[in-house]
Amino acid sequence: MHKFSVSELSKGLKNRDFSSVELTQHYLNRIDHSDLNAFITVTEDLALSQAREADTMLAKGKANNLTGIPYAHKDIFCTKGIKTSAGSKILDSFISPYDATLSYKLNMEGMVMLGKTNMDEFAMGSSNENSYYGPVKNPWDKKRVPGGSSGGSAAAVSARLSAFATGTDTGGSIRQPASLCGITGIKPTYGRISRYGMIAYASSLDQAGPITQSAEDAALVLNTMAGFDDKDSTSVNRDVPDYTENLNNSIKGLRIGIPKEYFSEGLDDDIAKVILQSIKEFESMGAIVKEVSLPNSAYAVPTYYIVAPCECSSNLSRLDGVRYGYRCDDPKDLNDMYLRSRSEGFGEEVKRRIMIGTYALSAGYYDAYYLKAQKVRHLISEDFKKAFQKVDVIMGPVSPTTAFEIGAIKDSVSMYLADIYTLSVNLAGLPAISIPAGFSNNLPVGLQMIGNYWSEEVLLNTAHLFQTQTDWHVRLPENT
Amino acid sequence: MAWETVIGLEIHSQLSTKSKIFSGASTAFGAAPNTQACAVDLGLPGVLPVLNKEAVMMALRFGLAVNAKINQHSIFARKNYFYPDLPKGYQISQFEIPIVGQGEIEINTGEGGTKMVGITRAHLEEDAGKSIHDLYKDFTAIDLNRAGTPLLEIVSEPDMRNAKEAVAYAKKIHALVQYIGICDGNMQEGSFRCDANVSIRKKGSKKLGTRAELKNINSFKFLEKAINIEIERQQEILEDGGEVVQETRLYDAEKNETRSMRTKEEANDYRYFPDPDLLPVDIEDEMLTEIKNGLPELPTEKKNRFVSEFGLSDYDAENLTAQKSLADYYEAMLNDGAEAKLAANWVMGELTAALNTNQMDVQDSHISANELSELVKRISDDTISGKIAKDVFKVMWEGNGRVDDIIESQGLRQMSDVRAIEDIIDGIIADNSQQVEQFKAGNGKLLGYFVGQVMKATQGKANPKKVNQILNDKLS
Amino acid sequence: MSLEKKQVKEIAQLARLNISDSEALQTTTELNNILNLMAELSEIDTEDVEPMAHPLDMSQRLRDDVVSETDLSDDFQAIAPKTGKQHFLVPTVIE
């Protein structure tokens, strides 16, 4: 059953080929036997209770497309009455008193939440090694990382521990783990999905998205996730199309741009081969390939690693041990309470980014760092605007490497540099999807497609057609 | 050494919206602790702010009322610092681009003079919660009901030169915000808070001295005292050859002194940056026009109208228009036919005294405008004297009937019958020949004695005007 | 723009993070490595470029002034580290 896509499961449930309870129990068993450490909390009782309700709705013929489908929810989304940790010790004891809008929406759709997935602490990381709950293992090779920060979600989908998962992407945290785990992940246009209840890392970059087995599944799930929320000032009031409607449109004449800056010496040969091979696939379907230039690409890393830490240094100030979360034992006085609660509660990478952000915003440095970074951000966005005048979709790698070994990358800067292909997308607020496109040394390689604002349909259509002509997305890790 | 004082005021005016500036929690005063602090106000992980339209409208109303430049594109910024009653660890405020820019307001400098005081800017921000230190011995208790209440921070230019000017300015702003209905002005409840920036410099110097910021002032009386005591303190320091330290000082009303605040803002670097959870506030021209047209008559306009329309003195008009509710009360009396000057005296006299004694606002007056106008009319038409009217007023205040009923039941009608008064006066002249001679000899003060005798004979009911007139006739 | 240990301790206090003397040295090195990365930005000419605070070219939406929240203080206080008499409690603050 776990090899079925969401689309197949949806049909199967409607046909009563199996019940949601059966399906849910099946996944729960798989999770129980899994050593990937993909979950922080498994919500067994809740899942089964939701599954029973779903079965009732299905029996009455009142089900939606996703009613009864079990999913894994990234532990960055607040879930009422359920532990929400953001992968951090400081929220280890936090039972959220409210639901994120997204959590609420998925509940209303009748979906079944299997549990909260492991992640890099406060979404800061590219390997899921920064979690208070330990690293997550890549199902393709358990000595390796699944990517991050949505590592748990990606591993869960890749190992078919759930039908799909939710993720968040601030600098690549959906796309990169999707790439490293051989699955599909889309980050929609900034403002497409509500951020209310999604624990903030970098507010102007964060966006939620589905992590799925295929573009078709992603379209199905995005239909439910997307939409305006009046509780989120940055949510855009724009109609949600049926993302599944135009999946099979022909892409004849689609103009694909390949940024020359992405194919410099830094890129691994194997990966470059996979990417270029994939692009030929699109050409065979009638797409036209052109070279484009994104001249400020190289500045994406320093720009992001100023903007994001600045925003997060402020966003995380609320974690002070006063109203919720971790408070140190026997605080001597207020200052001691702040210092020890935060220092004992936050992991090293989080503390580093808070320090960088605090410094970059401080008196005398604001202009040189934050303001400068926001200007360069503008230039990076302009690069894309110009490119999209000539092409419809930009394609390239997701990650310069395949999954590396747990513990292999020890210094922050090297880790940051690996985000080179994904960061600019968040800086510009554009939608982008990562789909499995091949292998290198038996490890998955993802292809990234970046679209213009609000062009999720184009991305999903293009990705879906690729997936009708190739079978990378149905390959499974051994023994799945 | 001739010193010049330079004062600027920062006023935090709580806007009287129903809900908070960034959340839908209630702003009603007096609720049980933490019952009006929702998820957004508590700064729970993942919550987001959404801007209250009414707060924006109120800020614009203020800006237009002080002829300020309106920044039709303004930005919310985060002011970052740690304090237990600041849930998010930052306050959402406005920094580089506030919604209201440069404006000005006219104040009375006393002795009939006026002066324009500049307003540098006014911006929107959220209030913090309350820290209560005396509930527990070893803990500070935090109540977040107030967190998220909208504030308009009004910053004046350092244009004031003494405490009286500062108080005049504060009172003017206080009246204005109530006039335009954006703030209830209740200083006891903390809806209107004044901080004063005070510095001194040698007279003639262009350079500003080091300033101290005075906080914890919750009345106009204390504002004046705090500023004056601070001026003294700074003068002493400078005359001794010392230097004034730039710091925040708390005013202690009991000791009438200011002391340095062991500060939560010790060398604080607020690291302001635009709040990424909020977008720029863009105001359309139409909205501004709508607001401008909806502004009520402002205090200065009303005052001028009272002078020209009702023939009141500048002083009387100023007093009557200081509070909109009082001005409305007064005008209602005139609408009922009360005479302008007389009504003014009664409103500023007996009515205000009664309100002050009972510590109440004119809205809660025991005597309505209509009822007081009846009283005043009975003085104008000679039914009762002004003196008797004061007694009637007291009876009315106790809630014991309307004017005419009281006059009838207590037989207070004044005696205006000229014949009857003449008879009584004749009698008194006849019985007091000695005093009559002394009066005619030049002791004019004795007139009061005769009046007194007439009043005694008539139980105070003789019409004083007529008594005076007839006495003067008969004694001349 | 390289950091010194003293600065690092000041930043840590601003951010309410504990950095012991022994940790300070390592933190300073790590932070300086990251800052070197950012130094690249000074190469670019951004003279006439507007800063981009948001990917969206939108104005702030305004919410009607309506009370929409009810009293959930019990739920919120249930997850607090320390409460008393309906208040959140912290070690005494001296003002």
Side-chain angles (χ1 to χ4, degrees):
Chain A
M1 267 193 284
H2 53 272
K3 298 200 182 170
F4 288 144
S5 68
V6 169
S7 147
E8 287 163 340
L9 288 174
S10 176
K11 292 194 186 86
L13 284 168
K14 289 226 175 91
N15 272 345
R16 313 308 280 136
D17 293 340
F18 40 78
S19 70
S20 178
V21 168
E22 279 177 87
L23 188 56
T24 301
Q25 193 60 68
H26 180 69
Y27 281 118
L28 287 170
N29 291 341
R30 289 180 63 72
I31 293 169
D32 202 28
H33 288 102
S34 160
D35 62 349
L36 297 174
N37 199 22
F39 286 85
I40 292 173
T41 306
V42 179
T43 48
E44 194 170 320
D45 292 337
L46 173 71
L48 289 168
S49 139
Q50 287 177 326
R52 280 190 291 271
E53 263 179 60
D55 280 332
T56 310
M57 297 301 271
L58 283 158
K60 287 189 193 160
K62 286 189 178 171
N64 294 317
N65 277 335
L66 296 173
T67 302
I69 306 278
Y71 71 101
H73 205 24
K74 187 172 179 180
D75 207 13
I76 199 171
F77 295 103
C78 286
T79 40
K80 187 171 177 178
I82 297 162
K83 169 172 164 162
T84 302
S85 74
S88 179
K89 175 178 175 180
I90 214 169
L91 288 177
D92 180 50
S93 64
F94 180 66
I95 309 285
S96 179
Y98 80 105
D99 263 334
T101 297
L102 189 60
S103 306
Y104 177 79
K105 277 179 126 166
L106 298 176
N107 280 344
M108 284 296 109
E109 194 68 10
M111 293 192 240
V112 175
M113 187 177 84
L114 295 165
K116 309 295 289 299
T117 56
N118 203 344
M119 53 181 280
D120 276 304
E121 190 180 352
F122 288 107
M124 299 184 209
S126 313
S127 65
N128 219 132
E129 292 174 286
N130 293 334
S131 168
Y132 175 60
Y133 302 95
V136 173
K137 299 182 190 143
N138 190 320
W140 291 88
D141 179 339
K142 292 184 190 174
K143 289 192 305 319
R144 295 175 183 268
V145 302
S149 63
S150 312
S153 287
V157 175
S158 175
R160 303 297 191 264
L161 302 179
S162 71
F164 75 91
T166 57
T168 64
D169 190 312
T170 305
S173 295
I174 285 176
R175 293 161 286 152
Q176 186 252 26
S179 171
L180 268 50
C181 289
I183 51 177
T184 299
I186 181 169
K187 179 202 88 69
T189 310
Y190 182 86
R192 178 79 282 185
I193 297 180
S194 167
R195 287 191 305 115
Y196 186 79
M198 186 175 118
I199 299 177
Y201 157 28
S203 316
S204 74
L205 305 169
D206 293 342
Q207 190 63 192
I211 294 177
T212 57
Q213 300 169 43
S214 67
E216 183 181 18
D217 279 2
L220 264 170
V221 178
L222 190 58
N223 277 349
T224 303
M225 289 175 79
F228 174 67
D229 180 13
D230 64 13
K231 293 210 210 45
D232 174 0
S233 292
T234 60
S235 169
V236 178
N237 195 354
R238 188 189 168 101
D239 284 343
V240 180
D242 179 353
Y243 289 111
T244 61
E245 206 178 323
N246 298 313
L247 285 175
N248 288 301
N249 284 4
S250 157
I251 56 166
K252 187 142 177 258
L254 182 79
R255 301 164 302 166
I256 298 175
I258 312 290
K260 64 178 195 228
E261 291 83 6
Y262 285 6
F263 290 84
S264 57
E265 326 92 49
L267 183 58
D268 176 276
D269 278 336
D270 271 358
I271 293 181
K273 238 186 252 152
V274 167
I275 305 298
L276 294 168
Q277 185 61 41
S278 314
I279 288 167
K280 288 206 171 59
E281 204 64 57
F282 292 107
E283 282 182 297
S284 79
M285 291 190 263
I288 304 161
V289 177
K290 302 178 183 209
E291 191 187 71
V292 293
S293 175
L294 299 171
N296 293 295
S297 299
Y299 299 112
V301 176
T303 304
Y304 174 89
Y305 280 103
I306 291 173
V307 173
C310 284
E311 293 184 8
C312 89
S313 69
S314 179
N315 282 332
L316 295 184
S317 293
R318 66 190 65 195
L319 295 147
D320 55 10
V322 175
R323 301 162 309 291
Y324 52 83
Y326 178 81
R327 184 189 287 199
C328 62
D329 288 331
D330 301 318
K332 280 198 309 11
D333 55 38
L334 185 68
N335 199 39
D336 182 46
M337 186 194 84
Y338 282 143
L339 291 176
R340 279 200 292 129
S341 301
R342 288 166 62 80
S343 303
E344 289 167 19
F346 287 134
E348 292 310 307
E349 183 59 31
V350 170
K351 285 193 261 197
R352 255 191 292 277
R353 296 198 197 186
I354 291 176
M355 293 285 284
I356 290 290
T358 305
Y359 174 63
L361 288 174
S362 65
Y365 298 104
Y366 178 85
D367 282 0
Y369 287 114
Y370 183 77
L371 199 57
K372 183 86 184 179
Q374 296 288 41
K375 290 182 174 191
V376 178
R377 181 178 182 173
H378 198 168
L379 292 176
I380 290 172
S381 297
E382 288 297 310
D383 282 356
F384 279 109
K385 274 210 180 85
K386 290 195 190 93
F388 282 122
Q389 281 167 356
K390 298 206 292 249
V391 300
D392 305 308
V393 176
I394 292 172
M395 293 195 189
V398 179
S399 168
T401 65
T402 52
F404 45 90
E405 288 193 9
I406 295 173
I409 300 185
K410 291 197 190 346
D411 77 290
S412 308
V413 174
S414 305
M415 196 69 89
Y416 298 165
L417 290 170
D419 292 334
I420 182 75
Y421 301 115
T422 49
L423 301 174
S424 1
V425 171
N426 301 82
L427 291 169
L430 295 165
I433 190 171
S434 169
I435 54 174
F439 285 84
S440 163
N441 294 327
N442 298 320
L443 293 168
V445 174
L447 167 74
Q448 178 174 219
M449 299 195 280
I450 306 167
N452 207 345
Y453 299 102
W454 310 108
S455 67
E456 289 81 3
E457 283 177 277
V458 174
L459 293 177
L460 289 164
N461 167 211
T462 311
H464 177 69
L465 288 186
F466 181 83
Q467 290 177 343
T468 58
Q469 301 219 158
T470 61
D471 70 348
W472 306 114
H473 65 291
V474 297
R475 303 267 186 99
L476 290 171
E478 252 176 70
N479 303 322
T480 301
Chain B
M1 180 59 67
W3 298 104
E4 178 179 62
T5 308
V6 175
I7 303 167
L9 289 189
E10 270 171 33
I11 293 174
H12 286 88
S13 175
Q14 247 180 21
L15 299 178
S16 45
T17 54
K18 296 200 211 69
S19 62
K20 304 218 177 150
I21 187 171
F22 295 117
S23 83
S26 167
T27 54
F29 185 81
N34 288 305
T35 54
Q36 283 176 185
C38 67
V40 174
D41 303 325
L42 287 176
L44 290 184
V47 297
L48 296 170
V50 187
L51 182 58
N52 184 329
K53 182 175 186 181
E54 189 63 16
V56 175
M57 309 282 271
M58 288 183 169
L60 293 172
R61 248 188 267 164
F62 178 81
L64 292 170
V66 297
N67 285 321
K69 171 178 185 296
I70 303 292
N71 289 322
Q72 286 175 257
H73 178 88
S74 70
I75 310 277
F76 279 103
R78 293 188 184 178
K79 178 178 181 180
N80 296 281
Y81 66 95
F82 284 90
Y83 203 71
D85 63 22
L86 190 68
K88 296 186 291 296
Y90 60 85
Q91 177 196 31
I92 301 178
S93 177
Q94 296 190 294
F95 184 56
E96 288 178 330
I97 313 179
I99 189 167
V100 173
Q102 189 83 30
E104 60 182 7
I105 194 165
E106 186 189 78
I107 64 166
N108 285 349
T109 51
E111 297 117 39
T114 62
K115 159 177 184 165
M116 292 308 280
V117 172
I119 291 170
T120 315
R121 54 183 271 157
H123 67 255
L124 285 167
E125 59 183 26
E126 55 177 353
D127 209 345
K130 281 206 176 108
S131 296
I132 299 135
H133 306 292
D134 52 12
L135 207 56
Y136 284 90
K137 186 166 82 77
D138 298 319
F139 298 104
T140 291
I142 310 291
D143 174 10
L144 294 172
N145 277 350
R146 200 181 65 175
T149 305
L151 292 177
L152 185 67
E153 179 175 330
I154 304 162
V155 182
S156 82
E157 293 285 331
D159 286 348
M160 291 155 280
R161 293 288 170 268
N162 58 58
K164 282 213 171 346
E165 284 184 6
V167 171
Y169 168 81
K171 282 186 170 171
K172 211 60 193 258
I173 300 284
H174 186 247
L176 181 63
V177 296
Q178 291 176 82
Y179 252 81
I180 59 180
I182 68 172
C183 175
D184 68 19
N186 191 324
M187 290 175 86
Q188 304 318 105
E189 286 177 4
S191 358
F192 191 83
R193 319 199 282 254
C194 301
D195 296 336
N197 287 315
V198 181
S199 69
I200 62 178
R201 63 185 175 191
K202 292 195 194 133
K203 226 181 173 71
S205 164
K206 291 268 187 317
K207 197 162 160 277
L208 286 174
T210 309
R211 65 166 202 263
E213 184 179 2
L214 308 181
K215 281 184 174 307
N216 195 39
I217 299 165
N218 60 8
S219 78
F220 295 124
K221 191 175 82 174
F222 291 147
L223 179 63
E224 190 168 344
K225 287 179 146 200
I227 292 174
N228 282 329
I229 208 77
E230 177 61 17
I231 293 171
E232 259 180 58
R233 184 190 77 90
Q234 289 194 13
Q235 250 176 249
E236 237 180 83
I237 292 175
L238 291 178
E239 278 171 3
D240 278 348
E243 269 183 34
V244 173
V245 172
Q246 182 173 326
E247 60 183 351
T248 306
R249 299 180 70 83
L250 290 180
Y251 177 65
D252 184 331
E254 267 173 59
K255 298 194 185 143
N256 192 28
E257 64 180 27
T258 63
R259 57 168 198 281
S260 184
M261 198 171 153
R262 181 118 54 105
T263 179
K264 64 191 177 192
E265 301 164 37
E266 223 170 62
N268 231 326
D269 180 353
Y270 295 119
R271 290 157 279 137
Y272 284 99
F273 72 104
D275 193 327
D277 288 329
L278 293 164
L279 298 167
V281 183
D282 288 315
I283 307 291
E284 304 287 312
D285 288 339
E286 288 84 47
M287 186 185 267
L288 279 183
T289 311
E290 191 192 314
I291 295 174
K292 200 171 185 122
N293 292 340
L295 278 179
E297 187 182 33
L298 297 179
T300 309
E301 289 170 343
K302 200 185 278 285
K303 186 197 86 168
N304 292 338
R305 181 168 65 82
F306 276 19
V307 168
S308 61
E309 212 178 294
F310 307 137
L312 295 178
S313 70
D314 208 77
Y315 176 81
D316 286 353
E318 179 79 26
N319 274 317
L320 285 171
T321 57
Q323 247 185 292
K324 182 168 183 290
S325 46
L326 199 67
D328 288 347
Y329 185 101
Y330 173 72
E331 280 202 85
M333 284 178 69
L334 298 201
N335 277 340
D336 280 344
E339 190 269 312
K341 182 66 186 160
L342 195 56
N345 288 343
W346 273 84
V347 169
M348 292 190 301
E350 295 298 303
L351 180 68
T352 300
L355 292 173
N356 284 342
T357 307
N358 292 288
Q359 292 187 339
M360 50 173 57
D361 273 329
V362 70
Q363 288 99 322
D364 305 315
S365 169
H366 289 181
I367 300 177
S368 71
N370 175 259
E371 289 166 349
L372 188 55
S373 74
E374 279 181 8
L375 181 61
V376 166
K377 282 191 280 191
R378 287 290 167 268
I379 302 173
S380 296
D381 68 17
D382 275 347
T383 307
I384 53 174
S385 68
K387 189 160 176 297
I388 297 284
K390 290 195 174 147
D391 295 333
V392 176
F393 181 93
K394 285 195 182 68
V395 176
M396 282 169 73
W397 187 269
E398 298 306 313
N400 293 328
R402 295 186 75 92
V403 176
D404 289 336
D405 299 332
I406 297 169
I407 291 175
E408 285 315 313
S409 67
Q410 297 197 19
L412 297 172
R413 211 167 251 286
Q414 75 185 337
M415 185 197 292
S416 297
D417 180 346
V418 172
R419 266 296 153 63
I421 294 176
E422 279 181 349
D423 288 344
I424 292 175
I425 286 177
D426 286 340
I428 286 170
I429 288 177
D431 290 341
N432 291 280
S433 46
Q434 211 185 353
Q435 286 87 339
V436 171
E437 263 177 51
Q438 285 175 350
F439 179 78
K440 285 194 182 167
N443 190 345
K445 280 202 226 124
L446 279 173
L447 188 67
Y449 170 77
F450 289 116
V451 172
Q453 289 300 304
V454 175
M455 287 305 177
K456 211 163 95 178
T458 61
Q459 288 101 46
K461 294 210 195 108
N463 183 326
K465 273 196 282 235
K466 296 254 166 25
V467 169
N468 265 291
Q469 199 188 346
I470 298 168
L471 268 175
N472 271 311
D473 282 343
K474 289 195 184 274
L475 291 173
S476 57
Chain C
M1 297 189 216
S2 125
L3 288 179
E4 311 216 329
K5 216 172 89 172
K6 178 167 170 290
Q7 265 181 299
V8 169
K9 294 202 118 196
E10 282 167 5
I11 297 167
Q13 176 56 28
L14 264 184
R16 297 301 187 271
L17 293 173
N18 237 348
I19 307 264
S20 69
D21 270 332
S22 50
E23 290 168 325
L25 190 56
Q26 190 189 358
T27 308
T28 309
T29 312
E30 280 171 350
L31 293 180
N32 277 326
N33 286 341
I34 299 172
L35 290 177
N36 284 338
L37 187 64
M38 287 154 205
E40 293 175 28
L41 288 188
S42 55
E43 295 164 11
I44 319 172
D45 176 16
T46 51
E47 181 79 33
D48 294 314
V49 183
E50 282 296 305
M52 180 180 176
H54 273 112
L56 303 171
D57 190 13
M58 260 170 44
S59 302
Q60 175 63 34
R61 181 172 21 97
L62 300 176
R63 171 179 62 86
D64 285 338
D65 183 26
V66 175
V67 174
S68 59
E69 299 297 323
T70 53
D71 173 15
L72 295 173
S73 53
D74 286 341
D75 290 351
F76 296 138
Q77 305 222 332
I79 58 167
K82 198 166 186 71
T83 55
K85 302 185 189 170
Q86 302 256 289
H87 288 81
F88 297 98
L89 301 182
V90 297
T92 311
V93 178
I94 309 155
E95 219 158 55

